[in-house]
Amino acid sequence: MNRKTSRKGFVFKTYEAPYQSPFDKLFDIFKELITHTSGDFDEAISWLRELDKEYTLTTAEYTIDDFIEDLKKKGYIKEEIDPDGNGGIAITAKTERAIRQQALDQIFGNIKRSGQGNHKSKGQGTGDEHTGDFRNYQFGDALDKVSMTESLKNAQINHGISNFTLSEDDLVVEETLHKAQMSTVLMIDISHSMILYGEDRITPAKKVAMALAELITTRYPKDTLDILVFGNDAWQIEIKDLPYLKVGPYHTNTVAGLQLAMDLLRRKRNTNKQIFMITDGKPSCLRLPDGQYYKNSNGLDTYIVNKCYAMAQQARRLHIPITTFMIAQDNYLMQFVREFTKANQGKAFYTGLKGLGEMIFEDYETNRKKRIKG
């Protein structure tokens, strides 16, 4: 007697990557290259041609020149004429958005767009974000918070169906959370040390900024994000400027960056405010009252360091926590960051470049919950 038996288990087969058109394959690489070249189209294409020679990225049917033509047709690049009358090709706002989205996917994963875009807080109360937890009705609770389904079920259990009544003791209220809004300033160190020792620190910092900007604008549209850079001085930049960000021949004026960050946050009405600072951790410059610069790159200058501690304490008094993401591992710099963090009662992450984006995302999600008023 033959019996048919069905067996359950795993079936293993060779991984097959999802199909990508020739344009999409090259476009993924191009977005990465244009980030590294700070928006320089000619340099990015030059690198792409070199990669094509080494890894055969194109075919006779679809060449790099065909790819460039498609970029034009799809609106990713445009021809420009500079003030000197020279022609050239530049990326468009559509490409800038695509670069930010790629950075978001690389660092934070594929995060679905949220309709409301608000953070949940820790405190329960009269908010409007449902938790799924229930409690007995108390005098003063809003009627629209009463769960009719749970309340009717209680009435049936307590009084029976034949003698159905609904009393105050039967009413049940669903707990809710307050929705929070967050104002964040992201400070990026663009001093010369960010590219010293053969390590490109500015590109990962740039990617993190683009990913954070895309995250906030898509998932938390009621939050605000301001981005500033600091070298000898500090100045604010727009999100659209991020792909073109470069390191300059600057010292590190951390105090100027903190002053600008706090000025920006003072104008915000949100209860939650925070500063994220990406730096190699070594302040080496101050601007004096007479407008001249005081610079010292040898070790940690006590005068400069004490000014940084004072700014950290000032931010603490304004209830602005500072989270420092330090991308250097020198012991004396780590000690400075520890003292700086102590003065602010903030947080510090001592990290290399790997995992920087994930840490900033997790800390952003955690800090959103603080100081919510009912």
Side-chain angles (χ1 to χ4, degrees), residues 296-355:
N296 186 357
S297 300
N298 298 319
L300 286 173
D301 186 289
T302 303
Y303 178 63
I304 297 175
V305 166
N306 287 339
K307 290 287 187 181
C308 290
Y309 294 155
M311 291 302 300
Q313 292 169 347
Q314 182 180 344
R316 179 185 176 185
R317 289 191 293 270
L318 294 172
H319 306 290
I320 301 174
I322 303 170
T323 303
T324 304
F325 297 88
M326 181 182 170
I327 51 180
Q329 301 292 334
D330 308 72
N331 288 331
Y332 77 104
L333 294 179
M334 293 172 70
Q335 180 59 36
F336 158 71
V337 172
R338 278 192 287 269
E339 293 297 324
F340 178 84
T341 302
K342 182 179 178 181
N344 176 255
Q345 293 295 295
K347 285 184 286 185
F349 293 89
Y350 307 93
T351 174
L353 297 174
K354 187 176 181 180

Side-chain angles (χ1 to χ4, degrees), residues 118-183:
N118 293 306
H119 304 289
K120 295 179 181 179
S121 69
K122 292 180 180 177
Q124 295 181 346
T126 58
D128 51 5
E129 191 74 21
H130 297 280
T131 67
D133 298 326
F134 298 95
R135 62 171 173 81
N136 293 332
Y137 173 83
Q138 297 174 356
F139 179 76
D141 287 331
L143 292 179
D144 61 347
K145 303 301 181 186
V146 174
S147 173
M148 292 307 300
T149 302
E150 293 295 320
S151 299
L152 290 172
K153 183 174 73 173
N154 283 348
Q156 290 178 355
I157 294 172
N158 296 335
H159 309 293
I161 298 177
S162 60
N163 186 27
F164 180 79
T165 57
L166 180 66
S167 67
E168 182 179 338
D169 294 335
D170 301 322
L171 297 180
V172 172
V173 173
E174 184 175 2
E175 290 280 22
T176 55
L177 291 172
H178 296 286
K179 289 181 179 178
Q181 293 179 340
M182 174 69 73
S183 289

Side-chain angles (χ1 to χ4, degrees), residues 96 100 238-244:
E96 294 165 1
R100 293 199 300 270
E238 301 294 330
I239 292 175
K240 64 181 180 61
D241 300 327
L242 284 169
Y244 313 101

Side-chain angles (χ1 to χ4, degrees), residues 6 38 53 107 112 157 174 181 190 202 221 249 270 305 320:
S6 60
S38 297
K53 290 178 184 178
I107 295 175
K112 295 181 180 179
I157 294 172
E174 184 175 2
Q181 293 179 340
I190 60 167
I202 190 61
N270 292 346
V305 166
I320 301 174

